Amino acid sequence: VTELIRENVPLFEKSSIDEFYADLSGMDRFFGTYRYASELRQKIIRETGLPISFGLSVNKVVSKVATNEAKPNNQIRIAFGREKPFLAPLSIRKLPMIGDKTYLTLRNLGIKQVRTLQEMPGEMLYRVLGRNGLTIWERANGIDKTPVIPFSERKSISTERTFDRDTIDVHRLRSLLTAMTENLAFQLRKGEKLTACISVKIRYSDFQTYSKQMKIPYTSADHILIPRILELFHRLYNRRLLVRLIGVKFSHLVHGNYQINLFEDTEETIRLYQAMDKIRLRYGDRSITRAAAMGVKTIGRMTNPFNGQPPTILAHRKQ
């Protein structure tokens, strides 16, 4: 689906594995944006056999709501100037950014439909929900100036940590590497990706930085990746020097699901991964971990590292 959209749309953003925003500005001069989007939808259905829906409007928020209304297999066009009437009768739950807690807060105020949000002063929502309240008010009124961010395929995923105090605690280093690898492997499976090249990076107290990498068969499985990462670490680590920073990187990424090893994997192993990933998706990346990684502080959340946006520049995180 991504390849078909790439071939036919001048500018698009991939917000999840199966959701896209396409900027069709200017296409109306040649084809008509609704006709063009309709033909693209039919092409994707024809070539993939998958149901697909779209909502066409002036901005991303209204288009997303319209797409959800069009599901499971339809299309909706919201004409310019009709954003507010379209949103008004819908439940406030239909608006992006309204989760369970915000929904309960608004329902306690007697707000059930988007129409009520539209009729309220934005300042009132600001007093109740802070800055997010103003954003919700704008979205309820069909206002959204968020640009479509051009998609670029991510070729690697990595994480690293700097220590407050340089360390030679091998147990601590191994625990951190295990937690990092476990987290990155989960991100791979969530994004339906596999890696074929792994690397470990070490920076010593004298700021000398070294790394080693290893080619492996395509995988996204913790029990395969963790031993290989620890093997690289022991080949790289010089026990006479204090460690300042350590990092893990997966590269040579391709689209795909967990590759089953017919000789080693069991049905229980596959079900265990599926169960653990469901828990992480619901309660957070660190809600379930291996015992070897339990002493590690938070690794840091990656909401979706494969949405086509550039990697988030984190603050200088220390462990």
Side-chain angles (χ1 to χ4, degrees):
V1 174
T2 303
E3 289 304 313
L4 287 170
I5 292 176
R6 192 200 310 271
E7 292 169 5
N8 292 275
V9 174
L11 176 61
F12 74 96
E13 173 183 340
K14 189 173 182 178
S15 58
S16 72
I17 194 69
D18 62 351
E19 187 172 83
F20 303 81
Y21 291 105
D23 188 346
L24 302 182
S25 301
M27 301 297 286
D28 51 320
R29 299 182 184 180
F30 307 100
F31 307 103
T33 49
Y34 187 66
R35 176 186 169 189
Y36 190 79
S38 300
E39 291 178 356
L40 176 58
R41 173 174 172 256
Q42 291 302 321
K43 182 175 183 179
I44 294 173
I45 292 172
R46 189 167 57 249
E47 296 194 19
T48 68
L50 297 171
I52 186 169
S53 303
F54 78 77
L56 178 68
S57 80
V58 71
N59 62 47
K60 290 168 70 173
V61 164
V62 178
S63 294
K64 179 176 176 62
V65 176
T67 300
N68 290 336
E69 292 299 292
K71 289 178 179 178
N73 191 19
N74 212 330
Q75 57 192 57
I76 296 178
R77 172 174 52 182
I78 310 301
F80 179 72
R82 299 293 301 169
E83 296 84 15
K84 287 182 66 173
F86 163 69
L87 295 170
L90 300 178
S91 165
I92 57 174
R93 272 196 180 276
K94 299 290 182 73
L95 285 179
M97 207 172 161
I98 295 185
D100 291 340
K101 290 184 179 179
T102 304
Y103 175 75
L104 288 175
T105 300
L106 294 175
R107 289 295 287 118
N108 288 335
L109 293 174
I111 302 169
K112 184 177 181 181
Q113 291 181 311
V114 175
R115 178 183 289 107
T116 310
L117 291 175
Q118 293 175 349
E119 295 169 351
M120 292 174 63
E123 293 78 9
M124 183 180 296
L125 280 177
Y126 178 79
R127 287 198 297 270
V128 175
L129 299 171
R131 187 181 301 175
N132 288 342
L134 285 179
T135 304
I136 290 173
W137 182 86
E138 288 179 347
R139 293 184 172 187
N141 284 275
I143 301 169
D144 178 32
K145 298 179 182 178
T146 309
V148 173
I149 301 171
F151 172 74
S152 59
E153 196 77 58
R154 189 160 185 165
K155 301 301 182 183
S156 67
I157 182 173
S158 63
T159 187
E160 59 185 40
R161 287 295 174 269
T162 302
F163 296 104
D164 279 328
R165 294 182 179 179
D166 300 347
T167 183
I168 54 172
D169 187 338
V170 177
H171 176 74
R172 185 182 181 191
L173 294 171
R174 286 174 57 92
S175 295
L176 183 56
L177 285 169
T178 300
M180 287 177 165
T181 306
E182 194 175 38
N183 181 266
L184 290 179
F186 167 62
Q187 302 301 335
L188 288 181
R189 295 192 297 274
K190 185 168 68 170
E192 297 188 7
K193 298 284 185 179
L194 303 169
T195 181
C197 184
I198 61 175
S199 63
V200 172
K201 172 182 175 182
I202 294 179
R203 179 172 298 147
Y204 294 106
S205 55
D206 60 0
F207 288 89
Q208 294 292 316
T209 305
Y210 302 91
S211 64
K212 276 189 180 295
Q213 69 177 32
M214 176 191 296
K215 295 284 186 69
I216 60 173
Y218 283 107
T219 187
S220 60
D222 304 4
H223 72 279
I224 295 174
L225 291 164
I226 290 173
R228 300 290 180 86
I229 288 293
L230 294 178
E231 178 187 340
L232 281 178
F233 167 69
H234 287 293
R235 285 164 52 186
L236 184 64
Y237 177 51
N238 186 331
R239 296 173 182 269
R240 294 173 296 174
L241 296 174
L242 292 167
V243 174
R244 178 177 178 80
L245 174 149
I246 198 163
V248 175
K249 180 179 181 180
F250 298 162
S251 56
H252 297 195
L253 304 184
V254 298
H255 182 76
N257 291 301
Y258 172 63
Q259 304 294 293
I260 298 174
N261 186 315
L262 296 177
F263 301 102
E264 297 179 10
D265 291 341
T266 63
E267 187 176 348
E268 287 78 10
T269 301
I270 304 304
R271 287 182 177 177
L272 176 62
Y273 274 115
Q274 292 173 343
M276 290 171 66
D277 288 349
K278 283 182 180 179
I279 292 171
R280 290 176 178 133
L281 286 169
R282 184 168 183 178
Y283 298 107
D285 298 359
R286 299 288 294 155
S287 57
I288 182 168
T289 68
R290 280 171 166 72
M294 283 182 65
V296 177
K297 297 178 183 178
T298 178
I299 292 297
R301 297 182 63 82
M302 298 184 192
T303 54
N304 181 6
F306 301 110
N307 58 10
Q309 299 182 21
T312 303
I313 305 298
L314 297 175
H316 189 58
R317 302 179 65 88
K318 293 190 175 182
Q319 190 73 24

